[in-house]
Amino acid sequence: MRSLALSLALVALPVMASAQPCSRGRAGVPMPIALSSGTGDFGTTPSPCSDARVGVDLRASALIDTPDFYGALGGELVLSGTLPLTQRLWLSGSLTAPRFRFAQNATVIGTDLGTGPGDLALHVSLVRDAHLRVSTYVRALLPFDLPTQYALRTGLDAGVSAWWTLSPRVSLLGGVSVPVELSFLGGRGLAYGSVRASLDASVLAASWFEPVLGFEARVGNDPAGALDVFAARASLRVHTGRAVTLHLSGAVPVAGLDRTLARISLGAWITL
Amino acid sequence: MAHGAPLRLTTLASLAFTLTCAHEPVGCLGSGDPACVPPSPCGALTYTCASTRVRAYRFTATSQRVPGLEAEASVGDVVLENDLVTAVIDDVDHPHHLAASGGTLLDLAPRGGADALNAVYTVTGILPRDAPKYRSLQVIEEPGLVAVIARGTLDGNDRVQVTTRYELRACDPGVRVRTEVFNGGRDVSTWFLADAWWWGDRSMTPFIPTQGNGFVHPPLDLVNLDASWRVTPWMAAQSHVDPAVSYATVACGRASLEGVQDLTISAVGLPRTIVRPGDGQVFERMIFTAAGGGIAGAASYALDAHARMNGGATTVLAGRVLGTGGVPVGDDERMASVVAYEPDAAHPDDPLRGTIWSQAVPDVRGQFSLRVPSQKAIRVQVQRFGRATSAGASLTPSGARVELGDLTLATAGTLAVTVREGDSERPLSAELVMVPVEGVTANESVSGSLLGALGERCVPYLGPPHGASPACNRVLAFDGSARFSAPAGTYWLYATAGPGATLARARVTVREGEEAPVTLRLTRLTGLYPAGSLTGDMHVHGGRSFDSAMPDVTRVQSFITTGLDVIVATDHNAVTSYDEALRALNAQDRVVLVSGTEATPLVPWLVPPGGTVPRVVGHFMFWPMTYDPTQPRNGMPWENRVEPGAMFDRMRTVMPADGVIQLNHPTAHLKAGRDEGYFRMLGFHATTPIPLRDDGTGMGMLWRRPGGATGARNLDWHVQEAMNGAGVVLNLGYRASWFAMLDRGLLRGATANSDSHSLTTEQVGYPRNIVLGSFDRARFDRSAYDRAVREGHVVGSNGPVIEARTTDAAGNTVIPGVTPFAPSSGAMLDVEVRAAPWVPVTEVRFIVNGRVARTLTARDLTQPADPFGREGTVRWRGRVALSELLGGRDGWVVVEAGLPLPAMADLEDNDGLPDHIDGDGDGAIDDTELLRPRESDARFHVDVVSPGALPFAFTNPFVVDVDGNGWSAPR
């Protein structure tokens, strides 16, 4: 992991030299909680900071609806990274592999192991000052789902993310976006669109420890109801001081159509 | 993930398609056009013949129905037909069996054969919501083919679209089927996209060619599907009644099917697969049918199709089965059945250890053909009476066809039996039952099965247990004669004409190659039944029930041989008429037949209070009903998704006002996940009083008025079964539930019916109802008979007869019934107990308000000296003061007679109902049924005639208003 990070750093060195980092010293780059009802990083609020970094997350979700005789479990490994291009422009992306799925309909049980979709985003910094960073982005969902029966899944997400430092220890991270997921099967397509917003409040309790609390809301065009999900979320971050941050995060839907009980993520990112 | 709107982006779509790796073309999965027509299935299979005839049409007249007891087509259904097969797809508004709608494969018959299929319908899982609800049918006619396109959604999710194409081409020996399912919902789903074959039980026997299976399958456990799950190259099934037919199915585009098998239902299809929103699945298969015995006909098509699509060669093995002297042996599954199997090296003589590939019944010329994989070590074995014989061959076949030549069997032994009426010597219709003589012929030497299935404890095994006579160990000697073959051995041969006649028995020895004449004599016992009464069985199934394959003629013969006066034909979810069989037997004046139906809901939907799982509401009987074969279910309204009160209103639209509604087997258990007993579904507990209003409990639901023309309540049935068949444990539960109703003042008459489905599963007339009145069978008054039933003027019995009466305050004679009466001063209950000499009666019980108030034991009763004689029918005559029984308070009195009730206990579910008895007399309450006693036991003869039965009779209640000021219920 460290070698890979160094290799990426060497390639990006000329760019990095001219980037405006958001680094907070030991606390590293401010990162929104990267958990949503989507897959991989698609549909999550990205960091508004261009700092080069790589990350790895182990994510899981559970949906248990006993009255409906339905349950679904998911687990995936998400590899992500950010690559600055210019002072105001950078790329980010993720790959989901492997991905495990379990779905149960009464006593009919299915499982599969494969890969999830990836994503690739282009970010543009809009505001950079001491207490506020704002960027906009366009993110594409890459059709790497396997196994699949017939359909291909892709999508587009466009939005704005921001970081507002209220005090040396307290900051807010939020974003608004419009993710649209597209599924194509032959000549037929389905579009799943929503408007989502998230807001996280982080407190640097110590230079090495940062709890984060937040929420996410999604409103979509599901005929069953407009509110797709309103979820409470939290994250505990440990900044090891070697540009490595470990985190344990969770999100619990509390309202809306989303029946998932909880999503959790355990991972790390390295600021290069 | 939010559900969105459909898009048409054809360029990207094409790219998408090329990147997927599907087995079958996308078809209409890739089209948002609701009128899209799926492509033709199974393109790799082509059949050629001289005919080009194929057509599709809507069913308009019953004359268009194919032969067969399961042919259910009605006006509006779609028929696909060529010169080889006829298939019927039911109209979307004609749901049958477990399906939520029509659009299922309802009938399928080969030319020259019959339909023996209940239904085949598509599923994506095991819950009712996982079945399609089709909303439209489109008929397509093109040169050389016809098709029906059924379109709809899953019953539980209208965002999951289902489209099925049924296609028939001019030379196809079966139906091509393609089902497309599109997940337009918001959740990842696991689907088991498959065909559910609803066998029903006791009808078709499913088969898969996998080692250790064949016709034998692990018990189906819907909770633990993996234990029953098998992967197979194809599936087949055979019928056991004439005209015999077989079915088979093979997947197109893949080498195997997966699923589960059971005598009630099979489900075979695609592997269980996770399908995410926006994706879909396609399942293509072909369903074959062929005339002839065994699975060989349809299995041959399946194996050939599988080889053509997946590679591999097959060989047809042909031969002939002859008996001694070169006489062809065939056209009878009992006498010769040829099986081809790949033997297990360690057990080469046992087909059950190897892989069975095919099984055929030779035709009338003794000729048979079986298709097997080429280049495999194959054994061919001839079976008779469900057992291996020495005739057979071993080979490794290659090439298209191999002639096996003649396989010779020793001629089986035969009995030529005559039954005569004891005094007149006239032929007398009777049922013959054979059992090995204890200590002379071992059960194991004469038992048999269909390659491990259908043994049903038939000893000797004269034939498959649920078809025509001979079946299991029973033979009908209609009009006094029967000639049949049996395994060599020494037997007791019984003849019975029902509990209203004597019993005859002879010891016979069957030897191979010999025919032995036997004459037995029976006497009808006059004076046994009360004057003017008629005996009736109001719960009888025949081949039109999904769980019976009994031919009509056999069924009618069984009515007559058991000496019943009245039969109510009550097939599941269909109205039946036996007119044709009655005419064929010239028996119109020998039994009265009333058409009715047993409403048997099969689609779970109702969650009772405190429950979590959807249930059905149990079974209810309705008669009389009009048989109308132009209508779905021959005129019976759809029975699903309504509570009983609404069901009553629905059925009343096609019943006269003076008909009967009967609650069947109230505390019966579940079968295939469907409740058969309404009380058990509601959570009846024997020690908890039935509530007298809707108190929010399960039993409180009895008081609901679920809606309907008359606003009937759920408890508005007229009568309920207190005896059903022979099962002692269940009958004790029915008795307890009836007593609980009476105790609360819910006065309903009780009936006693056989629930017979075949000669083997519950014998018709055991038990029966003795309906009291002044009836004349020759001038049968259905209305008066049913009025007597509704009023409880019935004695239920599987042998003993109880005649009881008292007097009311006006001096009128009072017989058992549900109408309260004030007794005369000093009223006595006069009782006489009678029984045929072979029916043991050693106890008479007086039940008062559900408790035994007085018992007469064997020393009080008279026992006949000779069980095979005709003397000694009166077992007790006496009188008891009503005041002595009731102690001066209102109440109800029931008289019972028979053998003492066995020791019993509620060991499993703590519902106050017994679930175990001492069934073998060893003092331990660890049995679930009454076991066969030794030959020296007085119950032995009854157990031969009606296995598992405890001689038992009961009167309906005397509801006594002691002081004449209105009757008060005891609890």
Side-chain angles (χ1 to χ4, degrees):
Chain A
M1 176 72 78
R2 195 72 173 167
S3 304
L4 176 62
L6 282 173
S7 302
L8 282 172
L10 282 169
V11 168
L13 198 55
V15 176
M16 288 167 62
S18 60
Q20 292 280 330
C22 298
S23 181
R24 301 171 295 165
R26 182 173 178 153
V29 177
M31 293 286 288
I33 298 174
L35 279 175
S36 81
S37 55
T39 187
D41 279 345
F42 187 80
T44 63
T45 299
S47 171
C49 300
S50 62
D51 304 62
R53 60 188 172 275
V54 292
V56 58
D57 281 347
L58 189 62
R59 298 179 187 172
S61 64
L63 190 165
I64 302 172
D65 190 344
T66 304
D68 197 35
F69 304 100
Y70 177 76
L73 304 175
E76 58 193 19
L77 189 71
V78 182
L79 304 171
S80 58
T82 301
L83 179 67
L85 300 175
T86 69
Q87 281 197 11
R88 290 183 175 272
L89 213 62
W90 66 96
L91 293 174
S92 71
S94 74
L95 283 175
T96 302
R99 180 187 65 184
F100 169 79
R101 294 187 299 187
F102 169 100
Q104 179 168 1
N105 177 19
T107 56
V108 178
I109 295 172
T111 60
D112 64 25
L113 184 67
T115 59
D119 71 79
L120 187 65
L122 179 67
H123 304 254
V124 178
S125 178
L126 299 177
V127 174
R128 291 178 299 166
D129 66 26
H131 300 289
L132 181 65
R133 296 284 179 129
V134 180
S135 69
T136 185
Y137 63 94
V138 172
R139 180 188 269 150
L141 183 67
L142 305 176
F144 298 155
D145 284 279
L146 283 176
T148 183
Q149 299 301 301
Y150 295 94
L152 270 184
R153 177 165 55 166
T154 184
L156 213 59
D157 183 13
V160 172
S161 64
W163 174 42
W164 182 22
T165 309
L166 299 177
S167 74
R169 292 185 177 275
V170 180
S171 56
L172 296 176
L173 274 160
V176 175
S177 73
V178 185
V180 177
E181 212 171 280
L182 304 168
S183 194
F184 296 103
L185 198 165
R188 172 193 234 164
L190 272 182
Y192 303 85
S194 63
V195 176
R196 58 167 297 279
S198 71
L199 185 66
D200 300 324
S202 79
V203 176
L204 268 174
S207 63
W208 60 272
F209 180 60
E210 182 182 13
V212 182
L213 284 177
F215 73 87
E216 181 192 13
R218 241 180 227 250
V219 176
N221 62 345
D222 192 312
L227 180 63
D228 210 48
V229 64
F230 182 88
R233 45 201 220 168
S235 181
L236 299 175
R237 287 135 188 222
V238 173
H239 305 292
T240 65
R242 298 185 181 199
V244 175
T245 296
L246 307 174
H247 76 95
L248 174 64
S249 307
V252 175
V254 295
L257 298 175
D258 189 344
R259 296 187 288 167
T260 306
L261 289 178
R263 294 182 174 83
I264 62 170
S265 176
L266 176 68
W269 62 82
I270 304 167
T271 305
L272 304 174
Chain B
M1 185 185 300
H3 181 77
L7 295 175
R8 287 191 177 84
L9 297 169
T10 51
T11 305
L12 273 173
S14 302
L15 174 64
F17 175 57
T18 60
L19 293 178
T20 60
C21 43
H23 293 278
E24 297 87 9
V26 171
C28 292
L29 279 186
S31 168
D33 179 3
C36 176
V37 175
S40 181
C42 303
L45 286 178
T46 55
Y47 295 91
T48 56
C49 64
S51 171
T52 58
R53 191 183 85 90
V54 64
R55 63 174 184 143
Y57 57 93
R58 291 272 182 176
F59 187 90
T60 57
T62 53
S63 58
Q64 297 168 325
R65 259 190 192 171
V66 293
L69 291 171
E70 308 301 344
E72 299 177 82
S74 58
V75 174
D77 295 339
V78 179
V79 185
L80 307 177
E81 188 177 86
N82 63 15
D83 281 347
L84 296 173
V85 304
T86 301
V88 175
I89 312 302
D90 48 10
D91 200 11
V92 292
D93 295 326
H94 297 171
H96 289 87
H97 307 298
L98 291 82
S101 70
T104 68
L105 179 60
L106 185 66
D107 297 337
L108 181 64
R111 186 71 54 223
D115 174 55
L117 197 64
N118 284 320
V120 181
Y121 68 110
T122 307
V123 296
T124 61
I126 67 165
L127 298 176
R129 71 177 183 205
D130 299 322
K133 182 167 186 168
Y134 294 113
R135 291 178 174 83
S136 71
L137 294 184
Q138 176 189 358
V139 180
I140 289 175
E141 295 177 85
E142 296 175 8
L145 70 87
V146 292
V148 172
I149 314 298
R151 297 186 178 89
T153 64
L154 286 188
D155 193 28
N157 189 343
D158 60 9
R159 297 191 199 179
V160 178
Q161 291 149 22
V162 185
T163 307
T164 296
R165 175 179 176 126
Y166 302 93
E167 178 179 309
L168 185 67
R169 300 183 187 176
C171 296
D172 283 349
V175 180
R176 299 165 186 261
V177 190
R178 174 184 171 99
T179 299
E180 302 174 349
V181 189
F182 177 75
N183 186 0
R186 60 178 291 117
D187 290 318
V188 164
S189 296
T190 291
W191 288 343
F192 170 42
L193 180 53
D195 282 327
W197 295 68
W198 175 237
W199 309 122
D201 202 358
R202 306 183 201 90
S203 301
M204 304 290 294
T205 307
F207 170 93
I208 54 173
T210 55
Q211 185 166 13
N213 291 118
F215 291 103
V216 177
H217 311 290
L220 179 58
D221 183 349
L222 292 177
V223 175
N224 181 15
L225 283 177
D226 282 344
S228 321
W229 203 262
R230 294 293 184 269
V231 179
T232 178
W234 43 270
M235 183 200 77
Q238 69 162 84
S239 69
H240 300 284
V241 293
D242 287 331
V245 65
S246 58
Y247 299 99
T249 185
V250 64
C252 299
R254 58 184 63 240
S256 63
L257 294 163
E258 301 192 13
V260 295
Q261 313 294 329
D262 186 77
L263 292 175
T264 304
I265 192 167
S266 292
V268 285
L270 301 181
R272 291 163 286 184
T273 306
I274 291 181
V275 182
R276 64 166 178 78
D279 211 344
Q281 269 195 309
V282 174
F283 178 33
E284 289 194 355
R285 62 281 194 202
M286 193 148 180
I287 298 175
F288 303 99
T289 183
I295 59 163
S300 176
Y301 288 128
L303 184 51
D304 170 65
H306 188 274
R308 281 201 267 156
M309 289 188 289
N310 299 288
T314 64
T315 302
V316 172
L317 307 179
R320 189 170 61 164
V321 177
L322 300 177
T324 307
V327 177
V329 180
D331 201 33
D332 189 339
E333 179 181 352
R334 311 170 187 95
M335 301 307 298
S337 171
V338 184
V339 57
Y341 66 101
E342 196 178 339
D344 174 74
H347 305 91
D349 296 327
D350 186 356
L352 301 186
R353 305 283 193 128
T355 302
I356 301 171
W357 283 104
S358 191
Q359 171 256 355
V361 176
D363 63 19
V364 66
R365 297 163 298 173
Q367 293 175 338
F368 66 89
S369 69
L370 307 152
R371 187 181 293 274
V372 298
S374 303
Q375 301 298 338
K376 286 186 186 288
I378 297 290
R379 277 212 177 186
V380 175
Q381 186 184 87
V382 182
Q383 302 223 330
R384 186 171 65 194
F385 300 127
R387 304 175 64 87
T389 69
S390 58
S394 294
L395 69 160
T396 303
S398 63
R401 186 180 177 93
V402 171
E403 296 291 341
L404 297 175
D406 293 335
L407 306 176
T408 304
L409 294 173
T411 301
T414 303
L415 294 175
V417 182
T418 305
V419 182
R420 299 195 178 281
E421 210 279 328
D423 291 328
S424 68
E425 286 291 304
R426 281 201 302 261
L428 183 67
S429 291
E431 184 172 4
L432 308 174
V433 188
M434 291 180 74
V435 293
V437 174
E438 193 178 289
V440 177
T441 295
N443 287 354
E444 304 77 54
S445 66
V446 294
S447 61
S449 69
L450 172 63
L451 295 166
L454 303 183
E456 305 282 323
R457 294 181 285 180
C458 296
V459 183
Y461 185 90
L462 301 178
H466 303 303
S469 168
C472 196
N473 63 336
R474 312 179 82 98
V475 183
L476 294 181
F478 188 69
D479 283 342
S481 69
R483 183 175 177 279
F484 60 97
S485 296
T490 301
Y491 306 94
W492 291 117
L493 178 66
Y494 283 77
T496 173
T502 60
L503 186 70
R505 180 175 82 165
R507 179 168 167 146
V508 299
T509 298
V510 178
R511 297 184 179 85
E512 280 190 348
E514 294 182 11
E515 177 167 311
V518 184
T519 299
L520 296 160
R521 291 179 174 77
L522 299 172
T523 302
R524 294 203 188 280
L525 297 167
T526 55
L528 190 69
Y529 294 120
S533 68
L534 290 177
T535 58
D537 192 345
M538 282 95 76
H539 192 159
V540 179
H541 296 275
R544 266 172 210 83
S545 282
F546 55 73
D547 57 357
S548 172
M550 208 170 179
D552 283 358
V553 166
T554 307
R555 183 79 276 185
V556 173
Q557 288 177 338
S558 73
F559 299 156
I560 294 167
T561 56
T562 197
L564 282 160
D565 295 311
V566 180
I567 294 286
V568 182
T570 56
D571 286 306
H572 296 293
N573 304 333
V575 183
T576 300
S577 165
Y578 288 107
D579 286 351
E580 216 173 292
L582 280 171
R583 281 194 295 273
L585 295 170
N586 196 23
Q588 296 94 318
D589 61 346
R590 298 170 73 173
V591 65
V592 173
L593 279 168
V594 177
S595 291
T597 190
E598 181 174 19
T600 309
L602 294 172
V603 182
W605 67 283
L606 179 66
V607 181
T612 57
V613 177
R615 316 279 284 269
V616 296
V617 298
H619 300 182
F620 290 86
M621 208 74 88
F622 302 89
W623 77 84
M625 300 189 88
T626 302
Y627 172 69
D628 183 357
T630 67
Q631 297 298 315
R633 300 169 291 281
N634 295 334
M636 178 196 160
W638 200 46
E639 71 287 346
N640 278 295
R641 294 192 165 135
V642 285
E643 290 189 55
M647 185 191 295
F648 303 159
D649 283 335
R650 212 179 260 191
M651 299 299 165
R652 280 198 176 105
T653 61
V654 292
M655 280 173 65
D658 61 356
V660 181
I661 300 174
Q662 176 180 274
L663 167 64
N664 293 349
H665 33 70
T667 54
H669 294 277
L670 283 74
K671 185 173 183 180
R674 275 78 179 161
D675 290 90
E676 296 189 329
Y678 184 43
F679 273 32
R680 189 171 294 278
M681 190 279 284
L682 295 177
F684 172 72
H685 196 291
T687 61
T688 303
I690 295 174
L692 296 179
R693 60 180 179 84
D694 186 357
D695 59 358
T697 64
M699 288 300 289
M701 291 175 65
L702 290 172
W703 297 95
R704 286 194 198 174
R705 294 179 190 272
T710 70
R713 300 168 304 180
N714 286 336
L715 53 54
D716 282 341
W717 57 83
H718 299 119
V719 295
Q720 60 189 78
E721 289 184 326
M723 280 180 81
N724 175 297
V728 173
V729 169
L730 283 174
N731 279 335
L732 290 171
Y734 308 151
R735 172 178 178 262
S737 65
W738 178 48
F739 287 175
M741 291 281 286
L742 297 177
D743 262 357
R744 297 291 268 164
L746 304 171
L747 299 176
R748 302 287 187 274
T751 57
N753 302 302
S754 69
D755 204 353
S756 174
H757 286 70
S758 71
L759 290 182
T760 309
T761 302
E762 311 299 3
Q763 288 68 46
V764 68
Y766 290 90
R768 64 188 62 194
N769 302 277
I770 305 167
V771 182
L772 306 172
S774 299
F775 300 111
D776 180 355
R777 196 180 79 190
R779 284 185 290 275
F780 182 66
D781 184 341
R782 197 276 312 158
S783 181
Y785 180 90
D786 285 346
R787 184 170 58 248
V789 170
R790 291 196 309 271
E791 293 176 355
H793 301 322
V794 175
V795 172
S797 167
N798 62 9
V801 178
I802 306 171
E803 195 162 358
R805 62 187 66 213
T806 186
T807 50
D808 66 9
N812 300 312
T813 299
V814 177
I815 60 174
V818 295
T819 303
F821 69 98
S824 60
S825 172
M828 304 296 287
L829 185 60
D830 291 298
V831 177
E832 182 168 301
V833 176
R834 303 185 287 271
W838 57 278
V839 178
V841 179
T842 61
E843 193 167 280
V844 177
R845 296 177 291 274
F846 293 84
I847 314 292
V848 178
N849 300 337
R851 289 162 185 76
V852 179
R854 184 168 169 184
T855 304
L856 305 172
T857 62
R859 64 170 180 267
D860 303 307
L861 279 57
T862 304
Q863 306 303 326
D866 177 12
F868 299 102
R870 57 176 91 173
E871 303 301 324
T873 58
V874 177
R875 309 304 182 88
W876 186 75
R877 184 186 292 129
R879 48 183 8 209
V880 179
L882 278 179
S883 59
E884 182 187 323
L885 292 172
L886 290 160
R889 291 189 299 181
D890 289 357
W892 53 271
V893 180
V894 162
V895 183
E896 295 178 344
L899 290 182
L901 299 179
M904 64 189 83
D906 176 15
L907 299 178
E908 282 184 3
D909 50 13
N910 198 32
D911 60 355
L913 299 175
D915 43 52
H916 283 77
I917 58 173
D918 177 9
D920 53 9
D922 65 355
I925 306 175
D926 57 358
D927 306 300
T928 56
E929 59 182 346
L930 215 55
L931 300 175
R932 175 152 295 175
R934 303 299 299 272
E935 285 187 16
S936 55
D937 191 294
R939 191 171 59 81
F940 179 79
H941 309 306
V942 170
D943 197 77
V944 167
V945 173
S946 180
L950 179 77
F952 184 90
F954 67 92
T955 67
N956 264 268
F958 291 89
V959 185
V960 186
D961 174 12
V962 165
D963 44 18
N965 64 351
W967 184 74
S968 301
R971 283 181 91 180

